[in-house]
Amino acid sequence: MGKQMTEMLKGTLEGIVLALLATGSAYGYEITARLRERGFTDIAEGTIYALLVRIEQRGLVDVEKVPSEKGPPRKVYSLNDRGRDDLEEFWRTWSFLSERLDQLHTTDDQTEGSD
């Protein structure tokens, strides 16, 4: 993954994880697996676990410890109302930025064609 992609992901990964949790509860490894299924193959598990700690501390998820067949109990994360509000704000912000970037890109394409 290139440096630009890595930097952009840093700014959006929280929203991406919240969007995944909006589809259903999951534990850390499941979240990483779901991301990889969607093409985010270069995201390290440690990055996801650190992000989960942050969103838990911010009160965006509810956490339930569920017994595991292998080792200690798993922390299963579920999006709560505060997390849903945060996710809605993420999508509003994403739409705003996406529209502006598309406008810039379209304008840039038209400018290149007029040379």
Side-chain angles (χ1 to χ4, degrees), residues 28-38 45:
Y29 180 78
E30 282 180 310
I31 293 167
T32 302
R34 289 180 190 177
L35 287 168
R36 289 184 177 149
E37 288 170 3
R38 287 165 174 81
E45 252 181 271

Side-chain angles (χ1 to χ4, degrees), residues 70-85:
K70 305 172 187 174
R74 291 182 173 149
K75 289 174 100 175
V76 176
Y77 298 86
S78 302
L79 198 61
N80 60 26
D81 289 341
R82 189 170 174 185
R84 281 189 222 356
D85 291 345

Side-chain angles (χ1 to χ4, degrees), residues 60 85 97:
L60 304 178
D85 291 345
L97 290 172

Side-chain angles (χ1 to χ4, degrees), residues 4-93:
Q4 276 191 352
M5 176 68 82
T6 301
E7 292 301 314
M8 286 184 182
L9 269 175
K10 282 182 186 177
T12 58
L13 191 55
E14 181 177 301
I16 293 167
V17 169
L18 293 177
L20 282 177
L21 290 174
T23 67
S25 301
Y27 58 93
Y29 180 78
E30 282 180 310
I31 293 167
T32 302
R34 289 180 190 177
L35 287 168
R36 289 184 177 149
E37 288 170 3
R38 287 165 174 81
F40 297 100
T41 55
D42 293 338
I43 297 174
E45 252 181 271
T47 301
I48 299 305
Y49 285 106
L51 184 139
L52 289 170
V53 168
R54 285 194 308 273
I55 64 174
E56 180 181 359
Q57 288 173 343
R58 291 182 48 219
L60 304 178
V61 291
D62 294 327
V63 180
E64 180 183 357
K65 289 193 177 183
V66 176
S68 171
E69 295 173 10
K70 305 172 187 174
R74 291 182 173 149
K75 289 174 100 175
V76 176
Y77 298 86
S78 302
L79 198 61
N80 60 26
D81 289 341
R82 189 170 174 185
R84 281 189 222 356
D85 291 345
D86 201 82
L87 179 58
E88 286 178 26
E89 177 65 23
F90 170 79
W91 286 127
R92 279 192 299 273
T93 303

